[in-house]
Amino acid sequence: MNETTRTYDVIVIGAGPVGENVAERARAAGLSTVIVERELLGGECSFWACDPSKALLRPVVARADARRVPGLGQAVAGPLDVEAVLAHRDKMSSYWKDEDQVDWLNSVSVDLIRGHGRLTGPRKVSVQAPGGETVALTARHAVAVSTGTSAALPPIPGLDTVRPWTSREATSADKVPGRLAVVGGGVVAVEMATAWQALGSQVTMLVLEDALLQRMEPFAGELVTDGLREAGVDIRFGTSVTSLSREGGEVQITLADGGHLAADEILLATGRAPNTWDLGLETIGLTPGDWLKVDDTFRVTDVADGWFYAVGDVNHRALMTHQGKYQARIAGAVIGARAKGGPVDDAPWGAHVATADHAAVPQVVFTTPEVASVGLTSREAEQSGRRIEVVDYDLAHVAGAHQYGEDYRGRARMLIDTDRNTVVGVTFAGPGVGELVHSATIAVAGEVPLDRLWHAVPAFPTLGEVWLRLLETHRG
């Protein structure tokens, strides 16, 4: 080893929460490990996604819940303290500094090289450090890419002239725009519309499709639509943008139907693209800019000899931080097992495979109302060819909902595989349902037979009693 050439057992490119977990698990397996990062340790989730967005949304959701509680409504009738909310967001984002993350990395004995890492061939990575130094790395066993995604921007004429918000600007902005246009109808779009409308923006959503949250059960998008409109958001379905310009500080938006809209800022929440354009993929026979296809142990299938891994959003399996960290725990363990020549448990639900990516991915949308889901939707179940029973229940009829707040509105759906008598999908929509998702995840991932689930007694009076009501509805 010298100043510019180093060899490790494992090289990890990308130090977001996924890369950090791959590195920590590989090191715990006894492998020398280095992680390469060109921005902040902690990545998108810590600084521009999960942490700041939920910090913005928590006061919004808490106020909405409090307004439903007798004796509290008047106390929270006024506007949010915007300065305090943004200060809380800054604190939860560690003021966009990563010293704590560096300390953690040191505590688990993983080396760090700051700079842009690119593959230069099999098991080889070149890092261009900020000071101009080049560090040549070689991996004895594995290179793992955990570079995540960035906003995918549509090819709208004039886009380059308006300086649009992406999810990064939407979660880190230091002032409230008077008028905010949001293009898109997915999770980022509905969460940021919820937050900024509550903070004082007049939000207009421009949605190409005819509903929000189209990858979830239809009732979820319907309830979120109702909540946003009640908050004052203008939602326009079947609408697309044909051109943009910024004039006198205003964003001028031309719509496909000939209409026009002016806004102070425009957020483009139109999907994600893999951060693989400048990774040197061409040096190992892959195409820059592509998603990295992997097997269930996260080996990239189109690379020979099994040394190359892709973990987290970059493999396009389940674009959520918690699922990426799950993948990382498995990938780190399987890299360690293979490096030592040990057995690999790759049977379904084994220690070295990410079966949950296919069967039990949980998600929470932090809107008012919240949406929580895991497993299949009814549409996905139908497409899979399974024999499915759909069980619905009105959450407002659960005793815990009456305690939660007045005029509670919500819905629950459970999907039963009738051949196996197990739950394969659950969706909840309503205030407070985010805390129900882990019980649903256990039921789905554990493949708990319904006859046994009947003996899981929910506490009274909680929202969790919906499980009993769903099972009673199923039993008839």
Side-chain angles (χ1 to χ4, degrees), residues 195-434:
W196 289 106
Q197 179 74 30
L199 289 169
S201 289
Q202 175 53 59
V203 175
T204 301
M205 296 188 71
L206 306 174
V207 186
L208 180 62
E209 297 82 10
D210 59 2
L212 300 178
L213 300 175
Q214 290 227 319
R215 295 184 180 180
M216 307 185 87
E217 296 286 8
F219 68 80
E222 292 165 6
L223 285 167
V224 171
T225 298
D226 291 344
L228 285 167
R229 282 179 166 159
E230 289 170 8
V233 176
D234 178 7
I235 305 176
R236 306 182 189 184
F237 291 113
T239 303
S240 60
V241 178
T242 56
S243 68
L244 296 169
S245 63
R246 189 179 283 272
E247 301 172 13
E250 287 189 338
V251 179
Q252 304 297 326
I253 306 166
T254 303
L255 306 176
D257 62 3
H260 179 267
L261 179 69
D264 297 292
E265 300 292 351
I266 183 169
L267 164 60
L268 299 179
T270 50
R272 308 293 295 179
N275 290 328
T276 60
W277 279 106
D278 194 18
L279 274 179
L281 294 181
E282 68 280 3
T283 68
I284 57 170
L286 300 178
T287 302
D290 279 0
W291 300 97
L292 296 175
K293 183 180 178 181
V294 297
D295 62 21
D296 278 353
T297 68
F298 301 104
R299 277 177 163 170
V300 178
T301 54
D302 292 331
V303 175
D305 299 329
W307 59 271
F308 191 44
Y309 292 74
V311 193
D313 288 4
V314 76
N315 62 38
H316 208 216
R317 286 166 65 102
L319 276 65
M320 281 162 279
T321 295
H322 49 267
Q323 207 68 21
K325 291 166 72 174
Y326 158 76
Q327 294 178 8
R329 294 190 291 270
I330 289 169
V334 76
I335 288 170
R338 285 174 172 149
K340 295 178 179 180
V344 173
D345 180 6
D346 58 2
W349 302 110
H352 297 132
V353 293
T355 308
D357 281 355
H358 308 297
V361 176
Q363 182 174 13
V364 179
V365 185
F366 294 85
T367 44
T368 54
E370 290 180 343
V371 179
S373 67
V374 65
L376 301 177
T377 63
S378 51
R379 180 175 60 251
E380 291 167 341
E382 181 180 349
Q383 292 171 347
S384 74
R386 301 173 188 240
R387 294 202 305 166
I388 296 293
E389 178 187 350
V390 178
V391 182
D392 286 332
Y393 194 79
D394 186 342
L395 262 167
H397 294 162
V398 175
H402 293 260
Q403 296 286 355
Y404 199 92
E406 294 180 323
D407 300 320
Y408 188 102
R409 285 179 290 169
R411 187 172 172 186
R413 171 168 290 180
M414 177 173 69
L415 306 181
I416 298 170
D417 184 323
T418 56
D419 292 325
R420 303 184 65 202
N421 205 37
T422 58
V423 180
V424 293
V426 183
T427 299
F428 303 111
V433 299

Side-chain angles (χ1 to χ4, degrees), residues 36-161:
V36 178
E37 176 55 53
R38 62 185 177 87
E39 290 189 300
L40 295 172
L41 271 71
E44 203 77 13
C45 179
S46 297
F47 299 105
W48 300 286
C50 317
D51 285 337
S53 68
K54 302 319 170 271
L56 290 173
L57 286 159
R58 178 58 190 149
V60 180
V61 174
R63 182 180 65 167
D65 286 346
R67 284 176 168 174
R68 297 185 185 93
V69 180
L72 273 179
Q74 187 61 37
V76 294
L80 293 171
D81 182 337
V82 173
E83 184 176 344
V85 172
L86 296 182
H88 172 62
R89 184 273 317 273
D90 294 351
K91 179 180 179 182
M92 295 301 293
S93 302
S94 301
Y95 305 100
W96 291 275
K97 297 178 181 178
D98 63 3
E99 287 90 344
D100 288 347
Q101 304 273 2
V102 174
D103 290 344
W104 174 83
L105 206 62
N106 289 334
S107 75
V108 296
S109 301
V110 172
D111 286 354
L112 166 66
I113 299 177
R114 292 188 184 270
H116 183 73
R118 298 181 79 258
L119 292 155
T120 56
R123 295 186 175 85
K124 295 187 179 298
V125 174
S126 176
V127 184
Q128 189 67 41
E133 178 189 11
T134 299
V135 183
L137 301 174
T138 300
R140 296 185 186 93
H141 297 292
V143 175
V145 168
S146 300
T147 49
T149 61
S150 54
L153 301 181
I156 301 173
L159 179 64
D160 57 345
T161 69

